[in-house]
Amino acid sequence: QVQFVESGGGLVQPGGSLRLSCAASGLTLRDYAIGWFRQAPGKERAGVACTSASDGSTYYADSVKGRFAISRDNAKKTVYLQMSSLKPEDTAVYYCAANLVRRQCASTGRPYEYDYWGQGTQVTVSS
């Protein structure tokens, strides 16, 4: 059974940092592009970052470029999202998932390309 579990969310002040973790089980992580998505109340789930299966190359949404960094440790079956210079508009539930359509990130991708969604971790940026 494939399972993704996100952790590391919390309450942080504007300008602060958080590192999210996505622990995978039941699959060979290196075979999949992995994406981080977020969903704010009343909004659609949107792609934040993607890391490719083959070479670990990355892709970011314009709204987080230069502030967020996605990385992966295939041996530990874990994908990370380092978030810095956080803004109130980054407040959302953050999810990770595996891309079943492509192994190489050409963008952050659309939610329908992904499966094995975790339960999410809440990130709240507020003073």
Short mmCIF file of all heavy atoms in Angstrom, two decimals, residues 34-103:
data_model
loop_
_atom_site.label_atom_id
_atom_site.label_comp_id
_atom_site.label_asym_id
_atom_site.label_seq_id
_atom_site.Cartn_x
_atom_site.Cartn_y
_atom_site.Cartn_z
N ILE A 34 7.91 13.94 -7.88
CA ILE A 34 7.11 14.23 -6.71
C ILE A 34 6.79 15.73 -6.67
O ILE A 34 7.67 16.56 -6.91
CB ILE A 34 7.85 13.85 -5.42
CG1 ILE A 34 8.24 12.37 -5.44
CG2 ILE A 34 6.98 14.16 -4.19
CD1 ILE A 34 7.07 11.41 -5.49
N GLY A 35 5.56 16.03 -6.37
CA GLY A 35 5.14 17.43 -6.31
C GLY A 35 4.62 17.82 -4.94
O GLY A 35 4.10 17.00 -4.20
N TRP A 36 4.83 19.08 -4.63
CA TRP A 36 4.19 19.71 -3.49
C TRP A 36 3.08 20.63 -4.01
O TRP A 36 3.32 21.40 -4.95
CB TRP A 36 5.18 20.53 -2.67
CG TRP A 36 6.04 19.75 -1.72
CD1 TRP A 36 7.32 19.35 -1.93
CD2 TRP A 36 5.68 19.30 -0.41
NE1 TRP A 36 7.77 18.67 -0.82
CE2 TRP A 36 6.79 18.63 0.12
CE3 TRP A 36 4.53 19.41 0.37
CZ2 TRP A 36 6.78 18.06 1.40
CZ3 TRP A 36 4.52 18.84 1.63
CH2 TRP A 36 5.63 18.19 2.14
N PHE A 37 1.92 20.53 -3.40
CA PHE A 37 0.79 21.37 -3.73
C PHE A 37 0.31 22.07 -2.47
O PHE A 37 0.66 21.65 -1.35
CB PHE A 37 -0.36 20.53 -4.31
CG PHE A 37 -0.11 20.06 -5.72
CD1 PHE A 37 0.80 19.06 -5.99
CD2 PHE A 37 -0.81 20.62 -6.77
CE1 PHE A 37 1.03 18.64 -7.29
CE2 PHE A 37 -0.60 20.20 -8.08
CZ PHE A 37 0.32 19.21 -8.32
N ARG A 38 -0.51 23.08 -2.63
CA ARG A 38 -1.13 23.72 -1.47
C ARG A 38 -2.55 24.13 -1.81
O ARG A 38 -2.89 24.37 -2.97
CB ARG A 38 -0.32 24.91 -0.99
CG ARG A 38 -0.25 26.09 -1.96
CD ARG A 38 0.72 27.14 -1.43
NE ARG A 38 0.80 28.31 -2.30
CZ ARG A 38 1.66 29.31 -2.11
NH1 ARG A 38 2.53 29.27 -1.08
NH2 ARG A 38 1.67 30.34 -2.94
N GLN A 39 -3.35 24.17 -0.76
CA GLN A 39 -4.74 24.55 -0.94
C GLN A 39 -5.17 25.45 0.21
O GLN A 39 -5.15 25.02 1.37
CB GLN A 39 -5.65 23.32 -1.02
CG GLN A 39 -7.08 23.63 -1.40
CD GLN A 39 -7.86 22.39 -1.78
OE1 GLN A 39 -7.49 21.27 -1.47
NE2 GLN A 39 -8.96 22.60 -2.49
N ALA A 40 -5.51 26.68 -0.14
CA ALA A 40 -6.01 27.64 0.84
C ALA A 40 -7.53 27.54 0.88
O ALA A 40 -8.16 27.10 -0.09
CB ALA A 40 -5.56 29.04 0.47
N PRO A 41 -8.16 27.97 1.97
CA PRO A 41 -9.62 27.90 2.07
C PRO A 41 -10.29 28.62 0.91
O PRO A 41 -9.95 29.75 0.58
CB PRO A 41 -9.91 28.60 3.40
CG PRO A 41 -8.67 28.40 4.21
CD PRO A 41 -7.55 28.46 3.22
N GLY A 42 -11.24 27.93 0.27
CA GLY A 42 -11.98 28.53 -0.82
C GLY A 42 -11.25 28.59 -2.14
O GLY A 42 -11.77 29.15 -3.11
N LYS A 43 -10.06 28.01 -2.19
CA LYS A 43 -9.26 28.04 -3.44
C LYS A 43 -8.96 26.63 -3.91
O LYS A 43 -9.03 25.67 -3.15
CB LYS A 43 -7.96 28.81 -3.21
CG LYS A 43 -8.16 30.29 -2.91
CD LYS A 43 -6.85 31.03 -2.92
CE LYS A 43 -7.05 32.52 -2.72
NZ LYS A 43 -5.76 33.27 -2.75
N GLU A 44 -8.62 26.53 -5.17
CA GLU A 44 -8.27 25.24 -5.75
C GLU A 44 -6.86 24.83 -5.31
O GLU A 44 -6.03 25.68 -4.99
CB GLU A 44 -8.33 25.29 -7.27
CG GLU A 44 -9.72 25.50 -7.82
CD GLU A 44 -9.76 25.40 -9.34
OE1 GLU A 44 -8.69 25.35 -9.95
OE2 GLU A 44 -10.86 25.39 -9.89
N ARG A 45 -6.63 23.52 -5.32
CA ARG A 45 -5.29 23.03 -5.03
C ARG A 45 -4.35 23.45 -6.15
O ARG A 45 -4.65 23.26 -7.33
CB ARG A 45 -5.34 21.50 -4.88
CG ARG A 45 -4.09 20.90 -4.31
CD ARG A 45 -4.31 19.45 -3.93
NE ARG A 45 -5.31 19.31 -2.88
CZ ARG A 45 -5.56 18.17 -2.24
NH1 ARG A 45 -4.89 17.07 -2.56
NH2 ARG A 45 -6.48 18.11 -1.31
N ALA A 46 -3.21 23.99 -5.78
CA ALA A 46 -2.28 24.54 -6.77
C ALA A 46 -0.88 23.99 -6.55
O ALA A 46 -0.44 23.79 -5.40
CB ALA A 46 -2.25 26.07 -6.66
N GLY A 47 -0.18 23.75 -7.67
CA GLY A 47 1.18 23.25 -7.59
C GLY A 47 2.14 24.29 -7.07
O GLY A 47 2.05 25.47 -7.41
N VAL A 48 3.08 23.85 -6.24
CA VAL A 48 4.08 24.72 -5.65
C VAL A 48 5.47 24.39 -6.20
O VAL A 48 6.20 25.27 -6.62
CB VAL A 48 4.08 24.58 -4.12
CG1 VAL A 48 5.24 25.36 -3.50
CG2 VAL A 48 2.76 25.03 -3.53
N ALA A 49 5.81 23.11 -6.21
CA ALA A 49 7.14 22.70 -6.65
C ALA A 49 7.10 21.24 -7.08
O ALA A 49 6.24 20.48 -6.65
CB ALA A 49 8.17 22.89 -5.53
N CYS A 50 8.07 20.88 -7.91
CA CYS A 50 8.16 19.51 -8.41
C CYS A 50 9.63 19.11 -8.48
O CYS A 50 10.48 19.94 -8.82
CB CYS A 50 7.52 19.44 -9.79
SG CYS A 50 7.58 17.83 -10.58
N THR A 51 9.93 17.85 -8.16
CA THR A 51 11.27 17.31 -8.32
C THR A 51 11.19 16.08 -9.20
O THR A 51 10.37 15.18 -8.96
CB THR A 51 11.92 17.01 -6.96
OG1 THR A 51 13.16 16.30 -7.17
CG2 THR A 51 11.03 16.17 -6.06
N SER A 52 12.05 16.02 -10.22
CA SER A 52 11.99 14.96 -11.21
C SER A 52 12.56 13.65 -10.68
O SER A 52 13.42 13.63 -9.81
CB SER A 52 12.76 15.38 -12.47
OG SER A 52 12.19 16.53 -13.04
N ALA A 53 12.10 12.56 -11.31
CA ALA A 53 12.56 11.24 -10.92
C ALA A 53 14.00 11.00 -11.35
O ALA A 53 14.81 10.51 -10.58
CB ALA A 53 11.66 10.18 -11.52
N SER A 54 14.32 11.34 -12.58
CA SER A 54 15.57 10.90 -13.17
C SER A 54 16.78 11.64 -12.63
O SER A 54 17.76 11.03 -12.20
CB SER A 54 15.51 11.08 -14.69
OG SER A 54 15.17 12.40 -15.00
N ASP A 55 16.71 12.96 -12.62
CA ASP A 55 17.88 13.75 -12.26
C ASP A 55 17.63 14.70 -11.09
O ASP A 55 18.50 15.49 -10.74
CB ASP A 55 18.37 14.55 -13.46
CG ASP A 55 17.31 15.46 -14.04
OD1 ASP A 55 16.21 15.55 -13.45
OD2 ASP A 55 17.56 16.07 -15.09
N GLY A 56 16.44 14.63 -10.52
CA GLY A 56 16.13 15.50 -9.38
C GLY A 56 15.97 16.96 -9.75
O GLY A 56 15.95 17.82 -8.86
N SER A 57 15.88 17.24 -11.06
CA SER A 57 15.69 18.63 -11.46
C SER A 57 14.38 19.14 -10.90
O SER A 57 13.47 18.36 -10.59
CB SER A 57 15.73 18.76 -12.98
OG SER A 57 14.73 17.96 -13.58
N THR A 58 14.28 20.45 -10.75
CA THR A 58 13.16 21.03 -10.02
C THR A 58 12.43 22.08 -10.85
O THR A 58 12.97 22.64 -11.82
CB THR A 58 13.66 21.67 -8.71
OG1 THR A 58 14.65 22.66 -9.02
CG2 THR A 58 14.26 20.63 -7.80
N TYR A 59 11.22 22.34 -10.44
CA TYR A 59 10.40 23.37 -11.07
C TYR A 59 9.56 24.00 -9.99
O TYR A 59 9.09 23.30 -9.09
CB TYR A 59 9.50 22.76 -12.15
CG TYR A 59 8.88 23.79 -13.05
CD1 TYR A 59 9.46 24.12 -14.27
CD2 TYR A 59 7.73 24.45 -12.68
CE1 TYR A 59 8.90 25.07 -15.09
CE2 TYR A 59 7.16 25.41 -13.48
CZ TYR A 59 7.74 25.73 -14.68
OH TYR A 59 7.20 26.68 -15.49
N TYR A 60 9.38 25.34 -10.08
CA TYR A 60 8.66 26.07 -9.04
C TYR A 60 7.58 26.95 -9.64
O TYR A 60 7.73 27.49 -10.74
CB TYR A 60 9.62 26.96 -8.23
CG TYR A 60 10.67 26.17 -7.50
CD1 TYR A 60 11.92 25.95 -8.06
CD2 TYR A 60 10.42 25.65 -6.23
CE1 TYR A 60 12.89 25.22 -7.39
CE2 TYR A 60 11.38 24.92 -5.55
CZ TYR A 60 12.60 24.71 -6.15
OH TYR A 60 13.55 23.98 -5.48
N ALA A 61 6.52 27.12 -8.88
CA ALA A 61 5.53 28.13 -9.22
C ALA A 61 6.17 29.51 -9.08
O ALA A 61 7.02 29.71 -8.21
CB ALA A 61 4.31 28.00 -8.32
N ASP A 62 5.74 30.44 -9.91
CA ASP A 62 6.33 31.79 -9.86
C ASP A 62 6.17 32.43 -8.49
O ASP A 62 7.04 33.18 -8.04
CB ASP A 62 5.67 32.67 -10.92
CG ASP A 62 6.09 32.32 -12.33
OD1 ASP A 62 7.12 31.64 -12.49
OD2 ASP A 62 5.38 32.72 -13.27
N SER A 63 5.09 32.11 -7.81
CA SER A 63 4.80 32.74 -6.52
C SER A 63 5.77 32.34 -5.42
O SER A 63 5.87 33.04 -4.40
CB SER A 63 3.37 32.41 -6.08
OG SER A 63 3.21 31.01 -5.97
N VAL A 64 6.51 31.24 -5.62
CA VAL A 64 7.43 30.78 -4.57
C VAL A 64 8.87 30.74 -5.04
O VAL A 64 9.77 30.43 -4.24
CB VAL A 64 7.02 29.39 -4.03
CG1 VAL A 64 5.57 29.40 -3.58
CG2 VAL A 64 7.27 28.30 -5.07
N LYS A 65 9.11 31.03 -6.29
CA LYS A 65 10.45 30.95 -6.85
C LYS A 65 11.40 31.87 -6.08
O LYS A 65 11.08 33.03 -5.82
CB LYS A 65 10.41 31.32 -8.33
CG LYS A 65 11.56 30.78 -9.14
CD LYS A 65 11.31 31.03 -10.64
CE LYS A 65 10.14 30.22 -11.15
NZ LYS A 65 9.92 30.41 -12.61
N GLY A 66 12.55 31.33 -5.69
CA GLY A 66 13.52 32.10 -4.94
C GLY A 66 13.31 32.06 -3.43
O GLY A 66 14.18 32.49 -2.67
N ARG A 67 12.17 31.55 -3.01
CA ARG A 67 11.87 31.46 -1.57
C ARG A 67 11.76 30.02 -1.09
O ARG A 67 12.08 29.73 0.07
CB ARG A 67 10.56 32.19 -1.25
CG ARG A 67 10.57 33.65 -1.61
CD ARG A 67 9.32 34.36 -1.07
NE ARG A 67 8.09 33.82 -1.65
CZ ARG A 67 7.10 33.29 -0.93
NH1 ARG A 67 7.20 33.20 0.39
NH2 ARG A 67 6.00 32.83 -1.53
N PHE A 68 11.29 29.13 -1.95
CA PHE A 68 11.09 27.72 -1.59
C PHE A 68 12.12 26.87 -2.33
O PHE A 68 12.53 27.21 -3.45
CB PHE A 68 9.70 27.24 -1.99
CG PHE A 68 8.56 27.81 -1.17
CD1 PHE A 68 8.74 28.87 -0.30
CD2 PHE A 68 7.30 27.24 -1.26
CE1 PHE A 68 7.68 29.38 0.44
CE2 PHE A 68 6.23 27.73 -0.53
CZ PHE A 68 6.42 28.81 0.32
N ALA A 69 12.49 25.76 -1.70
CA ALA A 69 13.41 24.81 -2.33
C ALA A 69 12.93 23.39 -2.05
O ALA A 69 12.75 23.02 -0.89
CB ALA A 69 14.82 25.01 -1.81
N ILE A 70 12.74 22.64 -3.12
CA ILE A 70 12.34 21.23 -3.00
C ILE A 70 13.58 20.36 -3.15
O ILE A 70 14.46 20.66 -3.97
CB ILE A 70 11.26 20.87 -4.05
CG1 ILE A 70 10.71 19.47 -3.79
CG2 ILE A 70 11.80 21.02 -5.46
CD1 ILE A 70 9.50 19.13 -4.69
N SER A 71 13.65 19.31 -2.37
CA SER A 71 14.77 18.37 -2.47
C SER A 71 14.26 16.98 -2.14
O SER A 71 13.16 16.82 -1.59
CB SER A 71 15.91 18.77 -1.54
OG SER A 71 15.49 18.76 -0.19
N ARG A 72 15.07 15.97 -2.47
CA ARG A 72 14.64 14.61 -2.21
C ARG A 72 15.82 13.77 -1.75
O ARG A 72 16.96 13.99 -2.17
CB ARG A 72 14.00 13.99 -3.46
CG ARG A 72 14.92 13.90 -4.66
CD ARG A 72 14.12 13.62 -5.94
NE ARG A 72 13.44 12.34 -5.90
CZ ARG A 72 12.38 12.03 -6.65
NH1 ARG A 72 11.89 12.92 -7.49
NH2 ARG A 72 11.82 10.85 -6.56
N ASP A 73 15.51 12.81 -0.89
CA ASP A 73 16.48 11.81 -0.45
C ASP A 73 15.84 10.47 -0.76
O ASP A 73 15.02 9.97 0.01
CB ASP A 73 16.77 11.97 1.04
CG ASP A 73 17.86 11.05 1.53
OD1 ASP A 73 18.04 9.96 0.94
OD2 ASP A 73 18.55 11.41 2.50
N ASN A 74 16.22 9.90 -1.90
CA ASN A 74 15.57 8.66 -2.34
C ASN A 74 15.85 7.50 -1.39
O ASN A 74 15.01 6.62 -1.21
CB ASN A 74 16.02 8.31 -3.76
CG ASN A 74 15.47 9.27 -4.78
OD1 ASN A 74 14.37 9.81 -4.63
ND2 ASN A 74 16.24 9.50 -5.85
N ALA A 75 17.02 7.50 -0.79
CA ALA A 75 17.36 6.43 0.15
C ALA A 75 16.46 6.47 1.37
O ALA A 75 16.06 5.42 1.91
CB ALA A 75 18.83 6.55 0.56
N LYS A 76 16.14 7.67 1.82
CA LYS A 76 15.25 7.83 2.98
C LYS A 76 13.79 7.88 2.58
O LYS A 76 12.91 8.00 3.44
CB LYS A 76 15.62 9.09 3.75
CG LYS A 76 16.97 9.04 4.42
CD LYS A 76 17.22 10.30 5.25
CE LYS A 76 18.55 10.21 5.98
NZ LYS A 76 18.81 11.43 6.78
N LYS A 77 13.54 7.85 1.26
CA LYS A 77 12.16 7.92 0.74
C LYS A 77 11.44 9.16 1.26
O LYS A 77 10.28 9.10 1.68
CB LYS A 77 11.38 6.66 1.09
CG LYS A 77 11.84 5.42 0.36
CD LYS A 77 10.87 4.27 0.55
CE LYS A 77 11.23 3.09 -0.33
NZ LYS A 77 10.25 1.99 -0.22
N THR A 78 12.13 10.27 1.23
CA THR A 78 11.57 11.50 1.77
C THR A 78 11.84 12.66 0.81
O THR A 78 12.93 12.77 0.24
CB THR A 78 12.17 11.81 3.15
OG1 THR A 78 11.93 10.71 4.02
CG2 THR A 78 11.54 13.06 3.76
N VAL A 79 10.84 13.51 0.66
CA VAL A 79 10.96 14.73 -0.12
C VAL A 79 10.72 15.90 0.83
O VAL A 79 9.85 15.84 1.69
CB VAL A 79 9.95 14.74 -1.27
CG1 VAL A 79 10.05 16.05 -2.06
CG2 VAL A 79 10.18 13.55 -2.20
N TYR A 80 11.52 16.95 0.65
CA TYR A 80 11.45 18.10 1.54
C TYR A 80 11.02 19.34 0.78
O TYR A 80 11.23 19.46 -0.43
CB TYR A 80 12.82 18.35 2.17
CG TYR A 80 13.39 17.16 2.91
CD1 TYR A 80 14.31 16.31 2.29
CD2 TYR A 80 13.01 16.88 4.21
CE1 TYR A 80 14.82 15.22 2.96
CE2 TYR A 80 13.52 15.78 4.89
CZ TYR A 80 14.42 14.96 4.25
OH TYR A 80 14.94 13.86 4.91
N LEU A 81 10.43 20.27 1.52
CA LEU A 81 10.15 21.59 0.97
C LEU A 81 10.62 22.61 1.99
O LEU A 81 10.00 22.76 3.06
CB LEU A 81 8.65 21.77 0.69
CG LEU A 81 8.29 23.08 -0.01
CD1 LEU A 81 8.85 23.09 -1.44
CD2 LEU A 81 6.77 23.30 -0.03
N GLN A 82 11.74 23.25 1.69
CA GLN A 82 12.27 24.30 2.55
C GLN A 82 11.61 25.61 2.14
O GLN A 82 11.75 26.03 0.99
CB GLN A 82 13.78 24.40 2.41
CG GLN A 82 14.41 25.50 3.25
CD GLN A 82 14.31 25.24 4.73
OE1 GLN A 82 14.63 24.15 5.20
NE2 GLN A 82 13.87 26.24 5.49
N MET A 83 10.94 26.23 3.08
CA MET A 83 10.21 27.47 2.79
C MET A 83 10.82 28.61 3.60
O MET A 83 10.94 28.50 4.82
CB MET A 83 8.73 27.29 3.15
CG MET A 83 8.08 26.10 2.48
SD MET A 83 6.30 26.01 2.77
CE MET A 83 6.27 25.81 4.54
N SER A 84 11.19 29.67 2.91
CA SER A 84 11.80 30.83 3.56
C SER A 84 11.06 32.09 3.15
O SER A 84 10.28 32.08 2.20
CB SER A 84 13.28 30.94 3.15
OG SER A 84 13.98 29.76 3.46
N SER A 85 11.31 33.16 3.88
CA SER A 85 10.66 34.46 3.59
C SER A 85 9.16 34.27 3.42
O SER A 85 8.55 34.78 2.47
CB SER A 85 11.27 35.08 2.33
OG SER A 85 12.65 35.29 2.48
N LEU A 86 8.58 33.57 4.35
CA LEU A 86 7.16 33.23 4.24
C LEU A 86 6.28 34.46 4.34
O LEU A 86 6.59 35.42 5.06
CB LEU A 86 6.78 32.21 5.31
CG LEU A 86 7.23 30.78 5.00
CD1 LEU A 86 7.23 29.92 6.25
CD2 LEU A 86 6.33 30.18 3.93
N LYS A 87 5.18 34.41 3.59
CA LYS A 87 4.22 35.51 3.52
C LYS A 87 2.86 35.02 3.97
O LYS A 87 2.56 33.81 3.88
CB LYS A 87 4.13 36.02 2.08
CG LYS A 87 5.44 36.44 1.46
CD LYS A 87 5.24 36.80 0.00
CE LYS A 87 6.55 37.19 -0.65
NZ LYS A 87 6.37 37.54 -2.09
N PRO A 88 1.99 35.91 4.41
CA PRO A 88 0.64 35.46 4.81
C PRO A 88 -0.08 34.71 3.70
O PRO A 88 -0.85 33.77 3.98
CB PRO A 88 -0.06 36.78 5.15
CG PRO A 88 1.04 37.67 5.62
CD PRO A 88 2.21 37.32 4.76
N GLU A 89 0.19 35.07 2.45
CA GLU A 89 -0.47 34.38 1.33
C GLU A 89 0.04 32.97 1.10
O GLU A 89 -0.50 32.24 0.26
CB GLU A 89 -0.35 35.21 0.04
CG GLU A 89 1.05 35.65 -0.29
CD GLU A 89 1.33 37.07 0.16
OE1 GLU A 89 0.95 37.43 1.30
OE2 GLU A 89 1.96 37.83 -0.62
N ASP A 90 1.07 32.56 1.82
CA ASP A 90 1.53 31.17 1.76
C ASP A 90 0.72 30.27 2.69
O ASP A 90 0.90 29.04 2.68
CB ASP A 90 3.01 31.08 2.17
CG ASP A 90 3.92 31.78 1.19
OD1 ASP A 90 3.71 31.66 -0.03
OD2 ASP A 90 4.87 32.46 1.65
N THR A 91 -0.17 30.85 3.47
CA THR A 91 -1.01 30.07 4.38
C THR A 91 -1.90 29.12 3.59
O THR A 91 -2.64 29.53 2.69
CB THR A 91 -1.87 31.00 5.23
OG1 THR A 91 -1.03 31.78 6.08
CG2 THR A 91 -2.86 30.21 6.08
N ALA A 92 -1.81 27.83 3.92
CA ALA A 92 -2.55 26.80 3.20
C ALA A 92 -2.26 25.45 3.85
O ALA A 92 -1.36 25.33 4.68
CB ALA A 92 -2.15 26.76 1.73
N VAL A 93 -3.01 24.45 3.41
CA VAL A 93 -2.64 23.06 3.70
C VAL A 93 -1.74 22.60 2.56
O VAL A 93 -2.08 22.76 1.39
CB VAL A 93 -3.88 22.16 3.82
CG1 VAL A 93 -3.45 20.72 4.09
CG2 VAL A 93 -4.80 22.65 4.93
N TYR A 94 -0.60 22.04 2.92
CA TYR A 94 0.39 21.60 1.93
C TYR A 94 0.35 20.08 1.81
O TYR A 94 0.34 19.36 2.83
CB TYR A 94 1.78 22.07 2.35
CG TYR A 94 2.00 23.54 2.08
CD1 TYR A 94 1.36 24.51 2.85
CD2 TYR A 94 2.84 23.95 1.05
CE1 TYR A 94 1.55 25.86 2.59
CE2 TYR A 94 3.04 25.31 0.79
CZ TYR A 94 2.38 26.25 1.56
OH TYR A 94 2.56 27.58 1.29
N TYR A 95 0.35 19.62 0.56
CA TYR A 95 0.27 18.20 0.25
C TYR A 95 1.43 17.79 -0.66
O TYR A 95 1.90 18.58 -1.48
CB TYR A 95 -1.03 17.88 -0.51
CG TYR A 95 -2.31 18.24 0.21
CD1 TYR A 95 -2.87 19.51 0.06
CD2 TYR A 95 -2.97 17.31 1.00
CE1 TYR A 95 -4.06 19.84 0.70
CE2 TYR A 95 -4.16 17.63 1.63
CZ TYR A 95 -4.70 18.89 1.48
OH TYR A 95 -5.87 19.21 2.11
N CYS A 96 1.81 16.52 -0.55
CA CYS A 96 2.74 15.95 -1.52
C CYS A 96 2.07 14.76 -2.20
O CYS A 96 1.12 14.18 -1.65
CB CYS A 96 4.05 15.52 -0.86
SG CYS A 96 3.86 14.24 0.40
N ALA A 97 2.55 14.45 -3.39
CA ALA A 97 1.97 13.35 -4.16
C ALA A 97 2.93 12.94 -5.25
O ALA A 97 3.86 13.68 -5.59
CB ALA A 97 0.63 13.76 -4.76
N ALA A 98 2.69 11.76 -5.83
CA ALA A 98 3.53 11.23 -6.90
C ALA A 98 2.86 11.47 -8.25
O ALA A 98 1.66 11.26 -8.41
CB ALA A 98 3.74 9.74 -6.69
N ASN A 99 3.67 11.90 -9.23
CA ASN A 99 3.17 12.13 -10.58
C ASN A 99 3.13 10.80 -11.33
O ASN A 99 4.18 10.16 -11.51
CB ASN A 99 4.06 13.14 -11.30
CG ASN A 99 3.42 13.66 -12.57
OD1 ASN A 99 2.96 12.89 -13.40
ND2 ASN A 99 3.41 14.97 -12.72
N LEU A 100 1.95 10.39 -11.77
CA LEU A 100 1.81 9.12 -12.47
C LEU A 100 1.84 9.30 -13.99
O LEU A 100 1.73 8.32 -14.72
CB LEU A 100 0.50 8.45 -12.05
CG LEU A 100 0.34 8.15 -10.56
CD1 LEU A 100 -0.90 7.31 -10.32
CD2 LEU A 100 1.57 7.47 -9.99
N VAL A 101 1.96 10.55 -14.46
CA VAL A 101 1.92 10.83 -15.90
C VAL A 101 3.32 11.02 -16.47
O VAL A 101 3.61 10.58 -17.58
CB VAL A 101 1.06 12.08 -16.17
CG1 VAL A 101 1.13 12.49 -17.63
CG2 VAL A 101 -0.38 11.82 -15.74
N ARG A 102 4.19 11.68 -15.73
CA ARG A 102 5.53 11.96 -16.25
C ARG A 102 6.56 11.83 -15.13
O ARG A 102 6.26 12.05 -13.96
CB ARG A 102 5.56 13.36 -16.87
CG ARG A 102 5.31 14.48 -15.89
CD ARG A 102 5.13 15.82 -16.60
NE ARG A 102 3.79 15.97 -17.13
CZ ARG A 102 3.48 15.97 -18.41
NH1 ARG A 102 4.44 15.82 -19.30
NH2 ARG A 102 2.24 16.14 -18.81
N ARG A 103 7.78 11.47 -15.53
CA ARG A 103 8.88 11.33 -14.57
C ARG A 103 9.72 12.60 -14.47
O ARG A 103 10.47 12.77 -13.50
CB ARG A 103 9.77 10.16 -14.98
CG ARG A 103 9.15 8.79 -14.78
CD ARG A 103 9.93 7.72 -15.51
NE ARG A 103 11.35 7.76 -15.21
CZ ARG A 103 11.92 7.07 -14.23
NH1 ARG A 103 11.19 6.29 -13.46
NH2 ARG A 103 13.23 7.15 -14.03
#
